[in-house]
């Protein structure tokens, strides 16, 4: 523990011209007295740590000293690629690993570009959760994340409706969507890939042996395909409407993206002069009524279909 702290102290001093005892204590989460003892230990080990006294004093490395202890461990390199999503790192328990990785990279950079990470963080930030919702970190997320990183199968129990189901899963990847965490995994006995909401897991036990990962698995492509399937699966009804040219133009702004994408190719050019008749896949007649009200006089409802039944409708 102390050895890792001493290395981190050297890397911090290597990336900055000087740091006070208070600054080092805050970064390393120890007392200023511990910083004094660590500086003395480094000096005795041959690391030229010099203490400037006075109100503006602090610790610095003498003579442009640079350590070669900047090689990234595999876990640090993996975490570094997620450093733009600090909330996700924290929830998966990787915050300290990513911090060590960033520090090593900064120590290896030339002084002229050493502040690049701070400059980027001042200009770009990813806020994943949706508006008007309080994101909750699933209790079992760190354990699932460990299994994903180590390619270890899990014996998992999860809620499905009112019942609990147990499955042996090979966890391939994690997805954070609008504040919710999902696991993309292969079911061991079925050889099929499925998606699970992690907040529905009630127990997760990691296996001792690693599974053989399918290197051809494409997580972004798999997620995009399943997300599109899910979006289409909730469209269980149809409404037939007449739209003005202005209604056609505004339709993508009031309707579900999947529904508008499916309906618009049949509508002709939005710049036309005639009203057009469209069949829109929707979640339900009630949902369609709320959505299409946004078009006002630019839409006329004809009828709706739900599970093969046809009814007249007025939006």
């Amino acid at each position: 523990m102390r050895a890792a702290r001493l290395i981190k102290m050297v890397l911090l001093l290597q990336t900055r011209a000087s740091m006070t005892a208070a600054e080092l204590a805050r970064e390393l989460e120890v007392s200023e007295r511990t910083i004094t003892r660590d500086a003395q230990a480094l000096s005795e080990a041959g690391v030229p740590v010099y203490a400037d006294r006075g109100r503006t004093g602090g610790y610095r490395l003498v003579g442009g000293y640079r350590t070669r202890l900047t090689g990234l461990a595999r876990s640090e390199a993996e975490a570094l690629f997620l450093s733009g999503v600090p909330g996700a790192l924290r929830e998966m328990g990787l915050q300290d690993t990513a911090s060590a990785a960033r520090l090593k990279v900064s120590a290896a950079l030339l002084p002229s570009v050493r502040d690049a990470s701070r400059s980027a963080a001042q200009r770009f930030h990813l806020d994943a959760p949706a508006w008007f919702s309080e994101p909750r970190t699933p209790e079992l997320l760190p354990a699932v994340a460990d299994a994903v990183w180590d390619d270890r199968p899990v014996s998992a129990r999860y809620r499905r409706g009112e019942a609990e189901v147990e499955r042996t899963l090979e966890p391939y990847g994690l997805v954070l969507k609008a504040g919710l965490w999902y696991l993309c995994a292969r079911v061991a006995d079925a050889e099929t890939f499925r998606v699970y909401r992690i907040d529905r897991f009630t127990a997760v036990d990691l296996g001792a042996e690693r599974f053989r990962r399918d290197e051809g698995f494409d997580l972004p492509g798999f997620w995009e395909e399943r997300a599109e399937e899910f979006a289409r699966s909730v469209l269980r009804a149809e409404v037939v409407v007449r739209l003005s040219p202005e209604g056609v133009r505004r339709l993508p702004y009031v309707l579900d993206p999947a529904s508008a994408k499916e309906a618009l190719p049949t509508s002709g050019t939005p710049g036309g002069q005639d009203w057009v008749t469209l069949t829109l896949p929707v979640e339900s007649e009630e949902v369609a009524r709320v959505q299409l009200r946004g078009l006002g006089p630019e839409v006329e409802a004809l009828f709706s279909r739900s599970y093969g039944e046809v009814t007249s409708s007025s939006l």
Side-chain angles (χ1 to χ4, degrees):
M1 182 68 176
R2 190 191 186 197
R5 189 176 69 243
L6 291 175
I7 292 174
K8 189 172 183 179
M9 182 174 176
V10 173
L11 293 174
L12 283 168
L13 294 175
Q14 187 170 309
T15 59
R16 308 180 193 181
S18 176
M19 295 184 69
T20 66
E23 290 172 335
L24 284 167
R26 187 166 54 251
E27 288 281 352
L28 299 175
E29 299 180 348
V30 295
S31 67
E32 293 186 30
R33 180 172 297 181
T34 298
I35 293 299
T36 301
R37 290 198 296 264
D38 286 352
Q40 180 64 32
L42 287 171
S43 180
E44 292 174 357
V47 179
V49 177
Y50 181 77
D52 292 315
R53 303 192 180 279
R55 292 183 58 187
T56 60
Y59 292 95
R60 60 185 175 87
L61 295 175
V62 179
Y65 176 86
R66 297 183 65 82
T67 176
R68 296 183 179 274
L69 297 174
T70 54
L72 289 177
R74 180 179 178 84
S75 60
E76 293 170 340
E78 291 170 336
L80 188 61
F81 285 101
L82 292 171
S83 59
V85 197
L89 282 170
R90 183 174 57 255
E91 292 178 9
M92 288 190 291
L94 296 174
Q95 189 173 23
D96 291 341
T97 301
S99 175
R102 287 193 296 269
L103 188 58
K104 288 183 178 182
V105 169
S106 296
L109 293 174
L110 293 173
S112 60
V113 296
R114 198 167 286 161
D115 67 341
S117 61
R118 180 179 62 85
S119 177
Q122 289 175 335
R123 290 164 173 80
F124 300 99
H125 175 67
L126 176 62
D127 184 11
W131 287 104
F132 312 117
S133 63
E134 186 67 26
R136 295 182 180 179
T137 302
E139 182 180 348
L140 296 175
L141 176 61
V144 176
D146 286 343
V148 170
W149 289 119
D150 292 340
D151 293 337
R152 294 171 63 186
V154 297
S155 177
R157 293 200 307 272
Y158 67 96
R159 296 186 303 274
R160 190 169 67 182
E162 298 298 324
E164 279 197 1
V165 180
E166 186 168 351
R167 291 282 186 273
T168 299
L169 304 175
E170 296 176 351
Y172 268 66
L174 294 170
V175 175
L176 177 60
K177 171 71 172 179
L180 293 176
W181 284 94
Y182 296 87
L183 172 67
C184 300
R186 182 166 60 187
V187 182
D189 56 355
E191 291 296 316
T192 59
F193 286 93
R194 297 177 185 173
V195 177
Y196 301 86
R197 267 182 59 166
I198 295 181
D199 59 3
R200 293 178 180 169
F201 284 110
T202 59
V204 172
D205 295 319
L206 276 64
E209 303 295 329
R210 289 178 171 160
F211 64 87
R212 184 180 296 276
R213 188 181 182 90
D214 180 0
E215 297 300 330
F217 178 76
D218 175 19
L219 178 60
F222 172 78
W223 176 258
E224 182 178 2
E225 179 182 336
R226 289 305 171 91
E228 187 172 341
E229 288 178 3
F230 172 77
R232 186 64 185 85
S233 70
V234 300
L235 304 177
R236 301 178 179 179
E238 291 181 340
V239 295
V240 180
V241 299
R242 292 182 70 243
L243 290 173
S244 70
E246 176 63 13
V248 172
R249 186 187 70 80
R250 289 164 49 188
L251 186 65
Y253 301 100
V254 300
L255 211 60
D256 293 322
S259 179
K261 180 180 178 181
E262 183 170 329
L264 282 177
T266 66
S267 67
T269 305
Q273 299 300 313
D274 299 327
W275 284 56
V276 296
T277 300
L278 287 181
T279 300
L280 306 177
V282 294
E283 184 174 346
S284 68
E285 181 182 328
E286 291 74 17
V287 172
R289 183 179 293 113
V290 173
Q291 292 175 326
L292 293 175
R293 277 176 182 167
L295 297 180
E298 309 300 331
V299 60
E300 293 179 0
L302 300 180
F303 56 85
S304 67
R305 302 186 185 96
S306 179
Y307 300 103
E309 299 179 358
V310 179
T311 61
S312 60
S313 175
S314 175
L315 299 177

